[in-house]
């Protein structure tokens, strides 16, 4: 009796093709895939475990997690606002965080506009002088001055993203809500999003509790002010 191929079978097949292609043994490290046999019978691909550390995170247009503030600024040499934001990051109320936003079409550097062509918006978060979150909004059907592709679904977008060394095809990512997928690695998390079948967005971030560190610093600063207050 011939059984129809299930979604899990397709996922396993896609993963096997990825392994045979040699991409799994790229320069950025190795992938460990965990298979879980369900009690209900049959073998399914329930989870993929990426063991890459943050130092092995993919580079997108030269931007990579944990790169220093000076390395980031080298891509945007004529943006004084970004330098000021980084220099004042340790001050209250930032407590180590610098948030940088770049509209690619408005970058004064032609070299930067060429490097990030096809990207509409770049959002960066630095903590204590290192890049901890990277968000890229690619151009879409409504972008100006140049329009980008319309993605029919998130899998189509992720499979193009997998051309970046270190990123596997869509079959290895976790589905979130139908329009986004997430890849969780030991040292970083990648999320891809396609909104309303249009422009694509990718986010890379370090799964650390730097927000909690910021909160603790803010509490300590308030405690210091109360302690040093003189009536």
């Amino acid at each position: 009796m011939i059984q129809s191929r299930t979604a899990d079978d397709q996922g396993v097949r896609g993963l096997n093709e990825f392994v045979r292609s040699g991409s799994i043994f790229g320069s950025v490290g190795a992938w460990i895939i965990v298979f879980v046999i369900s009690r209900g019978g049959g073998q399914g691909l329930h989870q993929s475990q990426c063991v890459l550390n943050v130092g092995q995170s993919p580079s997108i247009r030269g931007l990579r997690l944990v790169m220093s503030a000076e390395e980031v600024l080298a891509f945007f040499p004529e943006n004084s606002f970004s330098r000021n934001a980084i220099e004042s990051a340790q001050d209250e109320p930032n407590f180590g965080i610098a948030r940088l936003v770049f509209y690619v079409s408005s970058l004064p550097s032609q070299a930067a506009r060429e490097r990030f062509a096809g990207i509409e918006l770049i959002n960066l978060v630095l903590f204590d002088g290192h890049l901890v979150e990277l968000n890229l909004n690619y151009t879409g059907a409504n972008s100006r001055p140049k329009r980008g592709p319309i993605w029919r679904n998130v899998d189509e977008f992720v499979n193009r993203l997998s051309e970046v060394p270190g990123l596997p095809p869509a079959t290895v990512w976790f589905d979130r809500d139908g329009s986004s997928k997430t890849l969780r690695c030991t040292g970083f998390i990648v999320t891809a999003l396609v909104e309303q079948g249009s422009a694509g967005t990718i986010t890379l971030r370090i799964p650390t509790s730097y927000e909690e560190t910021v909160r603790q610093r803010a509490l300590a600063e308030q405690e210091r002010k109360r302690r040093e207050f003189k009536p």
Side-chain angles (χ1 to χ4, degrees), residues 57-71:
S57 62
S59 171
I60 301 183
R61 308 289 183 95
L63 295 173
R64 184 191 294 272
L65 292 174
V66 303
M67 66 192 312
S68 69
E70 288 303 317
E71 290 175 315

Side-chain angles (χ1 to χ4, degrees), residues 148-170:
I150 297 176
W151 302 104
R152 290 167 291 192
N153 53 65
V154 69
D155 282 7
E156 185 178 42
F157 177 53
V158 170
N159 282 331
R160 289 305 305 272
L161 291 177
S162 66
E163 296 174 7
V164 175
L167 292 179

Side-chain angles (χ1 to χ4, degrees), residues 66-70 72 86 89-90 96 126-131:
V66 303
M67 66 192 312
S68 69
E70 288 303 317
V72 170
I86 290 174
Q90 296 301 324
L126 292 91
F127 178 66
D128 284 352
H130 291 276
L131 187 61

Side-chain angles (χ1 to χ4, degrees), residues 34-111:
V34 180
F35 292 91
V36 179
I37 301 177
S38 63
R39 293 183 180 273
Q43 188 179 52
L45 179 61
H46 290 262
Q47 166 174 283
S48 62
Q49 180 181 357
C50 165
V51 296
L52 299 180
N53 60 46
V54 67
Q56 298 168 307
S57 62
S59 171
I60 301 183
R61 308 289 183 95
L63 295 173
R64 184 191 294 272
L65 292 174
V66 303
M67 66 192 312
S68 69
E70 288 303 317
E71 290 175 315
V72 170
L73 290 176
F75 289 100
F76 313 97
E78 301 174 20
N79 195 298
S80 59
F81 174 81
S82 298
R83 181 169 293 278
N84 292 338
I86 290 174
E87 291 176 350
S88 63
Q90 296 301 324
D91 300 336
E92 186 182 9
N94 303 310
F95 298 109
I97 289 183
R99 301 183 187 276
L100 312 181
V101 179
F102 304 96
Y103 288 90
V104 174
S105 62
S106 300
L107 292 174
S109 167
Q110 181 178 350

Side-chain angles (χ1 to χ4, degrees), residues 188-225:
F188 60 94
I189 299 173
V190 188
T191 299
L193 170 68
V194 171
E195 296 188 58
Q196 300 177 347
S198 184
T201 299
I202 183 172
T203 300
L204 290 86
R205 63 183 179 88
I206 299 175
T208 61
S209 57
Y210 70 87
E211 294 96 339
E212 177 61 20
T213 302
V214 171
R215 191 180 76 86
Q216 292 298 330
R217 289 177 181 178
L219 291 175
E221 176 63 13
Q222 288 302 316
E223 179 61 27
R224 183 192 65 81
K225 290 179 178 179

